[in-house]
DNA sequence: CCTATGCGTAACAACATTAGTTACAGAAAA
DNA sequence: TTTTCTGTAACTAATGTTGTTACGCATAGG
């Protein structure tokens, strides 16, 4: 995941929101659970809001809430929300087009990479935020 | 993939070695195909050698060769060779153990992450370097 | 209308990772 | 012995990630 913890933190936050029920939760409170800065949380949640997973409310009593039922949110959509593109980065500078392998390798790999990523996503789709809440509760 | 092109380049290099047959190929030649510096290639190939995928030979006429038949090398082993650990990084600093969610989330996620990564690897296992060589040759 | 609260975002710093480069020691073939 | 390679350390530059401060703006509640 791009060597970043954004995906893990996003799942953590959504699980926390589901765990807290329907009450709005502030970014400061969330940051306390994740152990980071509220701004980091707000930046991440802005992505999840763009994906229609959460909503935000300003002012006193405001905060963040799930926009979909926890049972309807899968780890697959969370991944798509925080890390849009491909799991496998291509060459940083394009390979040599005068080499037969260099010329073709990216096109050839693209299909295999997409297939592998699809397999990954299919597996992630099996898990919902609601399931994680249950697991968290039973991990007493 | 850690936001690095190492995996893609590794596949490129192995495909090139297979494409070139049994002749040793120098890191300079490989770098010409990948469009990078020979030292970058040697560093990467050092990993693949540690995984027993290639061998190196110094001196004139030396270079790099496959140590296994291209048909026996799958994209799964290549991934393991260049990027040992987990696809999904956990929190950069540990979550708050005084929060029920923060306390449990990592343990809960670990299983789901491993399952997803296994699905990914199972798919990558279906493709061999030999198959890539064929695809490259037919992409004329 | 005022105030406190909380989001939205820009700007910046600190740090880690990636990629590229130079340099040089050492092994091996001819 | 010379040439051709690998093996690696050291350094730079570019980029990405994370954390932090600061401040504008909207809103709820008196």
């Amino acid at each position: 995941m791009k060597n970043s913890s954004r995906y893990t933190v996003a799942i953590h936050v959504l699980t926390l929101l589901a765990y807290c029920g329907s009450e709005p939760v502030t970014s400061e409170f969330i940051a306390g659970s994740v152990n980071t800065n509220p701004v980091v949380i707000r930046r991440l949640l802005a992505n999840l809001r763009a994906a229609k997973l959460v909503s935000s409310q300003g002012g006193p009593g405001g905060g963040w809430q799930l926009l979909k039922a926890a049972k309807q949110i899968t780890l697959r959509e969370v991944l798509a929300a925080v890390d849009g593109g491909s799991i496998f980065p291509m060459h940083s500078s394009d390979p040599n087009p005068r080499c037969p392998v260099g010329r073709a390798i990216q096109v050839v790999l693209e299909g295999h990479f997409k297939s592998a990523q699809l397999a990954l996503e299919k597996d992630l789709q099996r898990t919902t935020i609601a399931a994680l809440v249950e697991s968290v509760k039973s991990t007493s």
Side-chain angles (χ1 to χ4, degrees), chain A:
Chain A
M1 269 339 75
K2 279 186 166 180
N3 213 13
S4 109
S5 60
R6 286 170 53 84
Y7 182 45
T8 296
V9 173
I11 297 170
H12 178 162
V13 171
L14 291 172
T15 304
L16 182 63
L17 291 182
Y19 186 93
C20 290
S22 57
E23 292 297 298
V25 184
T26 70
S27 61
E28 189 176 351
F29 181 87
I30 299 171
S33 171
V34 175
N35 192 19
T36 182
N37 193 288
V39 176
V40 174
I41 297 298
R42 292 204 288 267
R43 281 199 289 236
L44 179 62
L45 280 169
N47 284 4
L48 301 182
R49 182 182 48 208
K52 314 272 190 197
L53 295 180
V54 299
S55 64
S56 64
Q57 188 77 34
W64 301 83
Q65 279 173 296
L66 293 185
L67 206 57
K68 290 175 62 173
K71 207 168 180 176
Q72 306 295 326
I73 303 178
T74 72
L75 296 193
R76 182 182 189 173
E77 339 175 32
V78 181
L79 178 60
V82 300
D83 193 50
S86 168
I87 298 289
F88 302 105
M90 285 287 173
H91 305 66
S92 52
S93 57
D94 279 344
N96 189 344
R98 300 170 40 127
C99 167
V101 176
R103 189 188 315 135
I105 192 69
Q106 292 194 338
V107 173
V108 167
L109 276 182
E110 194 178 354
H112 295 285
F113 283 175
K114 277 195 175 154
S115 162
Q117 180 159 348
L118 186 62
L120 179 86
E121 292 174 352
K122 281 248 178 75
D123 192 277
L124 290 173
Q125 195 166 17
R126 295 167 44 212
T127 305
T128 67
I129 297 297
L132 295 183
V133 171
E134 286 313 303
S135 297
V136 163
K137 282 183 177 165
S138 66
T139 305
S140 58

